[in-house]
């Protein structure tokens, strides 16, 4: 049992199992290889012999004499049978009923083709007669057409697999014997290697116990130059390093002081009587602001910190407070310092939260915008659902109309959430573009085709104006399709019946691939053009062009174009139409 717990036993077992597994797989593959090789060799020899017999038979008139000579040349292991229809013309197995009969061959689907289609067939079959051990014997049979005296005959050569299987069995025994010898030698080698590794490890274990007792001068003898020797060398270096570290602890105060001065947060340590012990630059800025604003020249700990310290002393835990000084918002964290079992002072962490407060305000404004966008659909969902519950709807048609409104408003909220997630991912840089070489003409026509039904429903002419020749460009086709889908959908929604929406594409030497979505719709007021790519532009009723959408689509489109190093712009006149244009530069070499 101790052997299996030791490194020697584990390493020996691992090597033995690994080599055994490899040799087992190798043995299986070798046996399979020799078996296939023997079968292929027999098939090739029978095929060559059959072709020679056919050739010689066609060159000589005495067919029977040729077949007899051929039968003697191929030996007793190989049998020859010639059929003419169902009659046996020649058989090297005459008087022996162990041969292959016409009925047996005719019933086989493959050899049937030799009789009907004059095809050459090679196949391994189960011999119709049993062997000496009572088991059926396999045989390799070659059948091919043979023309004698102007009549079509069939020539069959077959050879029993018994001799081949004996050769394969002998080969298998030899391979297994070699594998067994290899496993035995591997076992001896693995055990020898394991013991060689374990001996120096035992010495290192003894030395480790000595070091644990405080004897740092203990050395481990280095007897080899391999990894074990390097480990012993590292152990000796460890003893020296322990001594060095003990002496280096006195220098840690200097390191802590430098760390304290480089911290972004202010740190003040002070005694119970209010005497300041240590400060860093951010804390000094806080103290200067405090002394200036409070007109305090005592240079003691600020009163707000002492108040928090007194609370921490009473409650025996850290206290948190906030204060505004000279336009900066500070969060104060005071934690007690213990010495000899009692509180001897405190450490105060001063964190300037001015930028965070600004960020919180931006976040609050963003939440207000989202709330404004969600208020209407939620109100409608609540109102219509209450109407359905209270049976306000008089007819089934009214109920269906109310349910449709609830469904449409839920879809609207879902679109808002998905757009917010997409925009957040893009602005955080977590979206990776997948550049592909796209044929632009077919790409645009496919996208435009998706909106044909909507355009026809609203009575709008929608068409694509693309280059006649094929144009290929590198970009993320999913993201650009998202931009085009948003622009075309906006154009259709804001174009009255009878209007037109045109999607164009061309190449410019300077700007690269340019795409344009132009409509004859209601247009955007001039004072609103600067805000169309902002979040929730459509949610601002003073600048909205319609009641549909979430107001995030154009913001997402702007982020997608920025990710492609392209640009997007808009031109619009009220009651004349709007044109959105964006360009995709040629892909930079690093992107390729």
């Amino acid at each position: 049992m101790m052997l299996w717990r030791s490194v020697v036993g584990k390493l020996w077992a691992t090597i033995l199992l690994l080599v055994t597994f490899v040799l087992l797989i190798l043995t299986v593959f070798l046996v399979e290889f020799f078996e296939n090789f023997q079968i292929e060799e027999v098939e090739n020899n029978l095929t060559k012999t059959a072709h020679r017999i056919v050739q010689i038979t066609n060159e000589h008139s005495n067919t029977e004499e040729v077949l007899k000579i051929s039968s003697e040349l191929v030996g007793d292991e190989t049998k020859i049978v010639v059929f003419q229809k169902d009659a046996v013309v020649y058989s090297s197995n005459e008087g022996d009923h162990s041969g292959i009969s016409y009925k047996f061959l005719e019933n086989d689907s493959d050899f049937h083709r030799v009789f009907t289609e004059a095809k050459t067939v090679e196949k391994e079959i189960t011999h119709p007669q049993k062997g000496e051990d009572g088991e059926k014997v396999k045989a390799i049979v070659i059948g091919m057409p043979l023309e004698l005296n102007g009549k079509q005959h069939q020539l069959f050569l077959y050879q029993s697999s018994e001799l081949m299987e004996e050769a394969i069995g002998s080969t298998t025994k030899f391979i297994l014997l070699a594998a067994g010898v290899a496993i035995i030698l591997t076992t001896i080698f693995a055990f020898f290697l394991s013991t060689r590794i374990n001996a120096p490890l035992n010495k290192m274990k003894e030395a480790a116990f000595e070091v644990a007792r405080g004897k740092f001068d203990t050395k481990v003898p280095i007897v080899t130059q391999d990894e074990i020797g390097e480990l012993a060398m590292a152990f000796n270096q460890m003893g020296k390093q322990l001594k060095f570290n003990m002496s280096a602890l006195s220098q840690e105060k200097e390191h802590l002081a430098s760390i304290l001065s480089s911290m972004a947060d202010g740190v003040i340590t002070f005694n119970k009587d209010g005497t300041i012990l240590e400060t860093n630059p951010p804390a000094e800025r806080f103290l200067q602001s405090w002394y200036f604003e409070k007109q305090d020249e005592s240079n003691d700990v600020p009163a707000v910190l002492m108040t928090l310290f007194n609370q921490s002393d009473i409650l025996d835990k850290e206290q948190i407070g906030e204060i505004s000084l000279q336009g900066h918002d500070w969060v104060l964290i005071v934690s007690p310092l213990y010495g000899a079992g009692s509180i001897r002072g405190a450490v105060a962490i001063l964190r300037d939260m001015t930028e965070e407060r600004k960020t919180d305000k931006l976040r609050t404004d963003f939440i207000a915008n989202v709330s404004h966008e969600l208020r209407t659909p939620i109100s409608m969902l609540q109102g219509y659902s209450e109407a359905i519950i209270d049976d306000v709807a008089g007819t089934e048609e009214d109920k269906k109309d109310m349910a449709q409104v609830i469904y449409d408003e839920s879809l609207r909220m879902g679109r808002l959430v998905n757009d917010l997630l997409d925009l957040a991912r893009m602005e955080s840089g977590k979206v990776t573009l997948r550049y592909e070489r796209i044929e632009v003409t077919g790409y645009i026509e496919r996208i435009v085709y998706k909106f044909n039904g909507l355009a026809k429903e609203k009575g709008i002419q929608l068409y694509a104006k693309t280059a006649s020749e094929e144009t290929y460009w590198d970009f993320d086709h999913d993201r650009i399709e998202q931009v085009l889908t948003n622009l075309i959908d906006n154009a259709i929604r804001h174009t009255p019946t009878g209007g037109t929406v045109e999607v164009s594409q061309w190449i410019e030497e300077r700007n690269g691939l340019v795409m344009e979505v132009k409509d004859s719709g209601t247009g955007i007021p001039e004072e609103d053009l600067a805000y169309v790519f902002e979040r929730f532009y459509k949610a601002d009723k003073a600048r909205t062009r319609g009641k549909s959408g979430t107001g995030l689509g154009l913001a997402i489109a702007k982020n997608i174009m920025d990710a492609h190093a392209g640009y997007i712009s808009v031109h619009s006149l009220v009651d004349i139409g709007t044109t959105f244009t964006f360009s995709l530069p040629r892909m930079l070499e690093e992107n390729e």
Side-chain angles (χ1 to χ4, degrees):
M1 184 61 69
M2 292 298 296
L3 177 64
W4 297 112
R5 293 181 179 178
S6 65
V7 175
V8 174
K10 293 177 181 178
L11 187 60
W12 172 52
T14 301
I15 296 175
L16 181 61
L17 288 175
L18 178 62
V19 173
T20 302
F21 180 75
V22 172
L23 288 177
L24 181 62
I25 293 178
L26 182 62
T27 301
V28 172
F29 277 114
L30 284 175
V31 170
E32 186 69 19
F33 168 79
F34 280 113
E35 184 175 352
N36 294 334
F37 175 80
Q38 290 281 355
I39 293 174
E40 290 177 3
E41 190 71 17
V42 172
E43 288 180 352
N44 291 336
N45 290 336
L46 289 178
T47 302
K48 290 179 182 179
T49 302
H51 281 294
R52 289 173 183 170
I53 292 174
V54 171
Q55 180 181 0
I56 296 172
T57 304
N58 292 332
E59 292 175 357
H60 295 79
S61 58
N62 193 342
T63 302
E64 186 174 353
E65 188 66 21
V66 170
L67 293 174
K68 287 183 179 179
I69 295 174
S70 299
S71 177
E72 293 176 358
L73 289 175
V74 298
D76 295 333
E77 295 82 11
T78 304
K79 307 299 180 182
I80 301 175
V81 180
V82 179
F83 295 96
Q84 203 280 317
K85 293 184 178 180
D86 59 346
V88 178
V89 176
Y90 175 80
S91 174
S92 62
N93 225 20
E94 286 184 7
D96 186 359
H97 296 291
S98 64
I100 297 176
S101 64
Y102 170 82
K103 183 178 180 180
F104 175 82
L105 297 172
E106 178 68 14
N107 290 334
D108 189 274
S109 59
D110 294 320
F111 289 119
H112 181 72
R113 297 170 60 197
V114 180
F115 295 95
T116 58
E117 301 175 13
K119 298 287 185 179
T120 299
V121 177
E122 302 176 1
K123 187 176 179 182
E124 184 179 14
I125 64 170
T126 301
H127 200 282
Q129 300 296 329
K130 296 182 179 179
E132 296 177 357
D133 55 358
E135 298 291 333
K136 289 189 176 182
V137 180
K138 291 183 178 180
I140 299 175
V141 182
I142 307 296
M144 64 175 55
L146 174 65
E147 187 174 343
L148 298 176
N149 301 323
K151 294 181 180 180
Q152 191 67 31
H153 292 67
Q154 293 77 36
L155 172 64
F156 288 90
L157 274 73
Y158 62 96
Q159 180 176 318
S160 174
S161 302
E162 288 182 334
L163 295 177
M164 181 181 63
E165 290 175 355
E166 291 178 2
I168 293 174
S170 300
T171 304
T172 302
K173 291 179 181 179
F174 177 80
I175 294 174
L176 291 175
L177 179 61
V181 173
I183 291 174
I184 294 173
L185 294 177
T186 302
T187 301
I188 297 173
F189 170 77
F191 192 82
F192 173 76
L193 178 64
S194 301
T195 53
R196 293 278 294 178
I197 295 174
N198 194 55
L201 288 179
N202 284 329
K203 292 182 180 179
M204 275 185 269
K205 180 184 70 174
E206 296 171 0
F209 282 122
E210 292 295 322
V211 171
R213 297 186 186 100
K215 298 180 180 180
F216 298 108
D217 294 327
T218 304
K219 300 286 185 181
V220 176
I222 302 173
V223 295
T224 61
Q225 300 300 320
D226 54 11
E227 289 81 359
I228 300 295
E230 292 177 358
L231 180 60
M233 187 182 301
F235 185 90
N236 295 335
Q237 290 291 333
M238 181 187 68
K240 294 180 180 178
Q241 195 65 30
L242 284 174
K243 273 192 172 182
F244 174 79
N245 289 339
M246 294 294 291
S247 62
L249 286 175
S250 61
Q251 302 176 7
E252 288 300 317
K253 290 184 178 180
E254 297 179 6
H255 295 163
L256 291 175
S258 62
I259 292 172
L260 191 65
S261 63
S262 63
M263 288 179 63
D265 293 337
V267 178
I268 300 176
T269 59
F270 55 91
N271 289 331
K272 293 182 68 174
D273 58 1
T275 304
I276 295 176
L277 301 177
E278 289 286 341
T279 62
N280 65 346
E284 291 172 0
R285 291 195 295 270
F286 171 82
L287 292 174
Q288 290 173 2
S289 299
W290 171 268
Y291 296 145
F292 177 81
E293 184 170 302
K294 304 300 180 181
Q295 296 297 307
D296 185 3
E297 297 180 359
S298 65
N299 293 331
D300 289 334
V301 175
V304 63
L305 294 179
M306 286 303 299
T307 301
L308 292 173
F309 169 69
N310 292 332
Q311 293 177 358
S312 68
D313 190 8
I314 296 171
L315 301 175
D316 197 22
K317 64 178 181 179
E318 70 176 24
Q319 297 297 310
I320 300 175
E322 295 187 13
I323 189 174
S324 295
L325 288 174
Q326 300 296 299
H328 286 261
D329 298 319
W330 295 87
V331 172
L332 315 175
I333 305 173
V334 177
S335 299
L337 289 176
Y338 295 91
S342 61
I343 295 177
R344 61 179 181 82
V347 56
I349 306 297
L350 316 173
R351 185 164 299 162
D352 190 349
M353 301 294 291
T354 307
E355 290 299 323
E356 286 76 1
R357 293 289 188 268
K358 291 181 180 178
T359 303
D360 288 340
K361 185 178 182 304
L362 292 175
R363 187 181 297 111
T364 303
D365 293 342
F366 173 74
I367 294 173
N369 286 331
V370 175
S371 301
H372 176 79
E373 185 68 18
L374 290 174
R375 182 185 303 163
T376 299
I378 290 176
S379 298
M380 297 185 72
L381 287 173
Q382 182 178 354
Y384 280 99
S385 60
E386 287 177 356
I388 293 175
I389 292 172
D390 296 337
D391 289 329
V392 174
T395 63
E396 287 297 325
E397 184 177 353
D398 292 338
K399 291 183 179 179
K400 288 183 179 178
D401 291 340
M402 292 180 181
Q404 183 64 42
V405 171
I406 294 174
Y407 177 73
D408 292 339
E409 293 303 319
S410 64
L411 290 179
R412 180 181 174 188
M413 287 192 293
R415 288 194 299 271
L416 173 64
V417 173
N418 290 333
D419 288 347
L420 285 171
L421 290 175
D422 284 344
L423 190 59
R425 282 195 294 266
M426 284 184 232
E427 290 182 346
S428 64
K430 293 181 180 179
V431 175
T432 303
L433 298 181
R434 294 177 176 85
Y435 281 86
E436 296 182 31
R437 185 162 288 272
I438 306 297
E439 198 284 301
V440 181
T441 300
Y443 175 78
I444 293 179
E445 290 176 351
R446 177 179 62 81
I447 296 174
V448 171
Y449 178 77
K450 294 192 303 183
F451 290 91
N452 282 339
L454 180 60
K456 289 179 180 179
E457 182 181 336
K458 295 194 63 176
I460 296 173
Q461 292 184 357
L462 173 64
Y463 55 93
K465 184 179 178 182
T466 56
S468 57
E469 70 277 1
E470 290 186 348
T471 302
Y472 289 87
W473 210 261
D474 295 299
F475 54 85
D476 187 325
H477 69 91
D478 286 333
R479 292 297 177 182
I480 298 303
E481 181 174 349
Q482 188 177 356
V483 175
L484 282 171
T485 298
N486 182 271
L487 296 180
I488 297 172
D489 181 66
N490 284 345
I492 292 175
R493 285 193 289 111
H494 298 292
T495 300
T497 302
T500 60
V501 176
E502 176 185 323
V503 183
S504 306
Q505 164 262 319
W506 66 89
I507 302 292
E508 291 184 358
E509 184 66 27
R510 180 177 181 181
N511 296 322
L513 175 65
V514 181
M515 299 186 191
E516 182 181 271
V517 179
K518 181 178 180 182
D519 65 65
S520 59
T522 56
I524 305 173
E526 182 178 353
E527 62 271 17
D528 293 338
L529 285 176
Y531 304 102
V532 295
F533 296 108
E534 288 185 6
R535 290 181 176 184
F536 296 106
Y537 160 69
K538 294 180 182 298
D540 187 345
K541 301 306 178 185
R543 297 185 272 117
T544 186
R545 297 175 55 200
K547 297 180 180 179
S548 302
T550 63
L552 295 172
L554 293 178
I556 292 174
K558 178 70 165 56
N559 276 275
I560 292 174
M561 297 315 303
D562 291 343
H564 280 82
Y567 79 90
I568 183 169
S569 62
V570 58
H571 300 281
S572 182
L573 291 174
V574 176
D575 296 328
I576 294 178
T578 304
T579 301
F580 282 90
T581 306
F582 65 91
S583 70
L584 293 167
R586 294 188 183 275
M587 188 174 68
L588 298 177
E589 182 134 356
E590 56 264 29
N591 288 335
E592 296 177 350

